[in-house]
Amino acid sequence: MTYHPPSGHPSTHPSAAKPSVAPRVIVIGAGCIGLSIAWRLAAAGCTVDIYDRGTAGRGATHAAAGMLAAAVEAEPGEQALLPLTLDSQRRWPAFAAELEAYSGLPVDLRTDGTVQVALTRDDVEVLRSGFEFQRGLGLNVAWLNGAQVKEREPWLNPRVAAGVLGADDGQVDNRKLALALKAAALKAGARLHEGAAVEALSLTAGRADGVVVDGALKPADVVVLAAGAWSRQLAGLPEGAVPPVRPVKGQMLALRMDPAQPLLRHVVWPPKCYLVPRLDGRLIVGATTEDKGWDDHLTAGGVLALLEAAWRALPGVEELPIEEMWVGHRPGSRDDAPILGPVPDVAGLVMATGHHRNGILLTPGTADLVADHILTGRVDPLLAPFGIGRFQGRSANGMRL
Ligand code: GLY
């Protein structure tokens, strides 16, 4: 059976009509975004092939901290992103439960809140203005005094002056998530090709009809570009379909706590770093934000800044062994929001990239909404503002704004 591409209509995007049968889909990129879309589509009966230049889940997904922090990460200038981040945060419990049941693997979702903390009077001013901003957006945030913060996390610096609790925020173990998503996608019937770099997109009469791998055409009805910070390197993309995504370097490290007596139990955001305790005793300390392209060096200055910020908030880290240090590359778009959904003038091509700081948080929403678009042609109102067309003044259905 063949998927018959719908004919274009002036008022709808060419891919916006319901396909007659489940399409053959190629997903470029086996991070949490690509794997989750592949899982959803394969489970819905599509033929799905995932190509990754490296190993599944070993790019930005591996490097992340796994924070689900729609509230405390909400920053001025990013209000447009909130409906999407909040929606995805709400999807997380059911998504995690379904994924764990389907794959048989844990993802360690925890919805026990995160706290931003202030150590000095200046920090309190900054925290207060962020809190007013977040509260003004209707987010579930609560002001805590120093004693309340220490009650929650007794090993924090005794000088902690105040905190903001994001009670709906939490974390998931992103490395376990990658393993579970890979297992789920494979169980649903998706085929995973690792060490298989996609050389180019194949276009016929303006329609994406496959990709080139090892010089051979791999045909498809739909191609999903989910290659994170590598997305703009795909050859064959027409001008206007090249996603403005760049690597944003982050240095991170993991310390080893005694899991029976952890120094920290919940995610904490002191000034200049964040601290993410895992159930097994790992304490993730992140992260620098550097526009250094693909530079992947750990630097003394980067690690020193993180350790100093962590030590100021949680002096006991001084005694902890360093278990791991690494560099990741967030896929940052021109406006720091993801690029999702159909591409004007390139039928059959669907974007799922540019998630920047929010890839793990946005995984369930991206998977569900992008898969729904591919299966039904619908562009959900939550997805619509994030089309690549916004960089050319065009809406998600291709209309000029
Ligand atoms: N979301 C945390 C980070 O990007 O470092």
Side-chain angles (χ1 to χ4, degrees), residues 327-347:
V327 170
H329 295 96
R330 307 172 184 89
S333 80
R334 202 185 298 155
D335 60 6
D336 288 344
I339 302 169
L340 305 172
V343 178
D345 303 333
V346 190

Side-chain angles (χ1 to χ4, degrees), residues 367-392:
D368 291 348
L369 298 172
V370 168
D372 175 68
H373 166 67
I374 292 167
L375 293 167
T376 69
R378 215 167 71 88
V379 177
D380 190 281
L382 277 168
L383 213 57
F386 300 102
I388 192 170
R390 73 184 184 272
F391 299 109
Q392 308 142 4

Side-chain angles (χ1 to χ4, degrees), residues 220-401:
D221 304 307
V222 177
V223 176
V224 181
L225 182 50
W230 285 269
S231 297
R232 72 177 303 153
Q233 294 177 5
L234 179 63
L237 286 167
E239 205 191 326
V242 180
V245 177
R246 68 187 197 290
V248 180
K249 177 183 173 186
Q251 302 184 49
M252 297 177 69
L253 52 105
L255 307 174
R256 168 60 55 191
M257 304 185 292
D258 176 354
Q261 289 179 303
L263 283 182
L264 209 63
R265 293 181 185 278
H266 312 89
V267 177
V268 169
W269 294 70
K272 300 194 171 85
C273 75
Y274 50 76
L275 303 168
V276 184
R278 299 283 198 233
L279 296 171
D280 66 359
R282 266 164 78 88
L283 177 62
I284 315 285
V285 184
T288 63
T289 301
E290 303 168 66
D291 258 315
K292 295 249 175 79
W294 288 105
D295 177 277
D296 62 358
H297 290 102
L298 285 159
T299 63
V303 172
L304 176 68
L306 293 174
L307 282 174
E308 191 190 16
W311 172 74
R312 283 190 188 286
L314 191 65
V317 298
E318 200 168 64
E319 304 294 332
L320 301 182
I322 296 178
E323 190 170 90
E324 189 186 345
M325 297 195 274
W326 65 95
V327 170
H329 295 96
R330 307 172 184 89
S333 80
R334 202 185 298 155
D335 60 6
D336 288 344
I339 302 169
L340 305 172
V343 178
D345 303 333
V346 190
L349 179 61
V350 175
M351 293 282 164
T353 187
H355 290 73
H356 197 221
R357 297 183 165 280
N358 294 306
I360 306 296
L361 172 63
L362 290 176
T363 291
T366 302
D368 291 348
L369 298 172
V370 168
D372 175 68
H373 166 67
I374 292 167
L375 293 167
T376 69
R378 215 167 71 88
V379 177
D380 190 281
L382 277 168
L383 213 57
F386 300 102
I388 192 170
R390 73 184 184 272
F391 299 109
Q392 308 142 4
R394 297 177 76 174
S395 70
N397 67 5
M399 302 295 284
R400 298 224 168 259
L401 296 171

Side-chain angles (χ1 to χ4, degrees), residues 68-84:
L68 309 176
V72 303
E73 277 209 85
E75 289 183 6
E78 294 187 357
Q79 292 91 318
L81 199 52
L82 258 187
L84 198 64

